[in-house]
Amino acid sequence: MQKVQETAEKIRTMEIRGAGRIAKAAAEAIRDYATELDAASMEEFSARIKEVSNLLISTRPTAVSLPNAVKLSSKYSSANVEEARQEIIKNSNLFIEIADKALEKIGKIGSRRIRDGDVIMTHCNSHAALSIITTAFEDGKDISVIATESRPRRQGLLTIRHLNNFGIPTTLIVDSAVRYYMKDVDKVVVGADAIAANGALVNKIGTSQLALAAHEARKSFMVAAETFKFSPSTIVGNPIEIEERSVDEVVDPIVLKELSHVQVRNPAFDFTPAEYIDMIVTDIGIIPPEMAYTVIKEHLGWELGDL
Ligand code: RUB
């Protein structure tokens, strides 16, 4: 249990972050917990697995990859402790393998849409979006990137470091400069924390303003998302919760204490409607956002939606 608690804490504090990484860390935590779980009965085994599943899911509310990973990893059908344990180990490992391969596939598929000379704008720090960009560069395409700072946590700094390691020419801009620079951009490539059944994207706060500016300037807006970023629970009517993080990330609490009439809000994600999205690059191919429902139905299954 201690190891699961440690993973949960790392996800909560964003030491482990990014929807894909969170999902993989949760799958690993469940696998390791199940491996060592000493349960006297099937009832105890089920109750303990449920307990750690709920703990992991509760760490961050928006990235749907987290509940999807937990549910897919902790699935078992046997009523025997040993067999159920083996099923969980197998399912978790399968999830981790699929997640790794998905990033590679997204890179391969998405990079085919990147042209020589393209200027690509990206937001926050998405491993899926970066997979497309770095694959295109490694294929020999002469590209450059405009990366946003992504306040308040400044994940843009992770992105520029990653791109710099590949030798990709990169410009860092503040979030409010997105529209100003859109004229220089050919394509916007971002990641996803969740994709709803109606094709709407949930990603780092500010993503929707990149989409709006791209739409206005008639630039292409691409989303890179593994199929486990699609949200089955939106099919059964559940809205995607937008995480609101501590105001301390935005303003020094000492300064805020003096401002008795001021409140600070810090939503971590926003919604981009499907109409602003040109394509979603997934591990099963490029799809229009309108196909989100089909991806959920055929690749994730209704049972994950918690009817
Ligand atoms: C990260 C973020 C990323 C998505 C996709 O937010 O919004 O764009 O999670 O990332 P945070 P990936 O830093 O708050 O976790 O493609 O790596 O899954």
Side-chain angles (χ1 to χ4, degrees):
M1 187 68 176
Q2 199 199 332
K3 260 161 83 184
V4 180
Q5 272 162 345
E6 275 167 25
T7 302
E9 200 45 31
K10 282 183 185 165
I11 297 174
R12 209 188 307 274
T13 57
M14 292 177 63
E15 189 180 328
I16 299 173
R17 49 147 299 284
R21 297 269 162 116
I22 293 171
K24 267 180 65 182
E28 280 163 16
I30 288 195
R31 179 198 60 199
D32 296 347
Y33 180 76
T35 306
E36 286 167 15
L37 178 54
D38 187 14
S41 65
M42 199 56 210
E43 287 69 40
E44 191 189 343
F45 183 87
S46 307
R48 300 264 213 100
I49 292 292
K50 209 175 174 67
E51 188 189 358
V52 295
S53 297
N54 291 340
L55 170 69
L56 288 163
I57 290 174
S58 72
T59 52
R60 290 195 78 187
T62 302
V64 73
S65 52
L66 179 58
N68 281 350
V70 168
K71 285 173 191 171
L72 291 167
S73 300
S74 62
K75 242 180 13 184
Y76 59 86
S77 52
S78 174
N80 170 287
V81 171
E82 263 331 297
E83 283 171 14
R85 185 198 314 281
Q86 292 312 320
E87 281 186 72
I88 291 179
I89 294 170
K90 193 169 146 235
N91 285 330
S92 309
N93 282 334
L94 189 65
F95 180 85
I96 294 161
E97 195 189 320
I98 287 173
D100 285 337
K101 281 199 182 134
L103 270 186
E104 225 181 282
K105 284 186 192 162
I106 287 170
K108 256 191 200 150
I109 297 169
S111 65
R112 294 188 182 123
R113 303 308 299 250
I114 306 292
R115 288 206 216 123
D116 206 35
D118 271 356
V119 177
I120 300 160
M121 184 179 274
T122 191
H123 186 50
C124 193
N125 178 251
S126 156
H127 301 90
L130 286 172
S131 178
I132 293 179
I133 296 169
T134 55
T135 307
F137 184 75
E138 289 197 311
D139 283 349
K141 287 176 186 163
D142 175 21
I143 56 168
S144 63
V145 176
I146 299 179
T148 57
E149 181 189 20
S150 312
R151 279 274 295 153
R153 298 288 296 231
R154 307 180 82 202
Q155 290 94 327
L157 301 184
L158 298 171
T159 295
I160 60 168
R161 186 169 291 278
H162 187 80
L163 293 169
N164 187 65
N165 288 343
F166 276 82
I168 301 177
T170 301
T171 307
L172 177 73
I173 61 167
V174 294
D175 301 326
S176 43
V178 157
R179 187 164 176 252
Y180 181 74
Y181 281 109
M182 194 52 80
K183 61 183 182 318
D184 303 330
V185 169
D186 296 293
K187 292 181 178 81
V188 176
V189 183
V190 297
D193 274 82
I195 293 173
N198 66 0
L201 162 71
V202 179
N203 192 48
K204 181 54 56 195
I205 190 77
T207 300
S208 66
Q209 68 199 13
L210 267 76
L212 205 57
H215 187 73
E216 179 192 39
R218 294 170 189 270
K219 303 296 169 73
S220 163
F221 187 87
M222 275 164 89
V223 178
E226 301 90 325
T227 45
F228 59 79
K229 307 265 181 74
F230 289 69
S231 169
S233 87
T234 55
I235 282 197
V236 292
N238 294 316
I240 295 171
E241 185 186 335
I242 298 295
E243 174 182 8
E244 190 142 350
R245 297 189 63 85
S246 164
V247 298
D248 298 0
E249 291 182 350
V250 183
V251 185
D252 184 336
I254 299 168
V255 173
L256 195 59
K257 243 187 172 168
E258 294 161 10
L259 310 174
S260 56
H261 298 289
V262 176
Q263 70 155 335
V264 177
R265 302 288 303 267
N266 184 21
F269 302 97
D270 67 13
F271 287 94
T272 299
E275 63 197 276
Y276 295 111
I277 301 168
D278 291 295
M279 64 188 96
I280 306 177
V281 183
T282 77
D283 38 308
I284 51 162
I286 293 180
I287 61 157
E290 292 75 18
M291 256 183 73
Y293 171 86
T294 313
V295 171
I296 295 170
K297 214 170 143 239
E298 289 180 4
H299 293 271
L300 292 163
W302 295 96
E303 73 274 16
L304 294 179
D306 285 336
L307 248 182

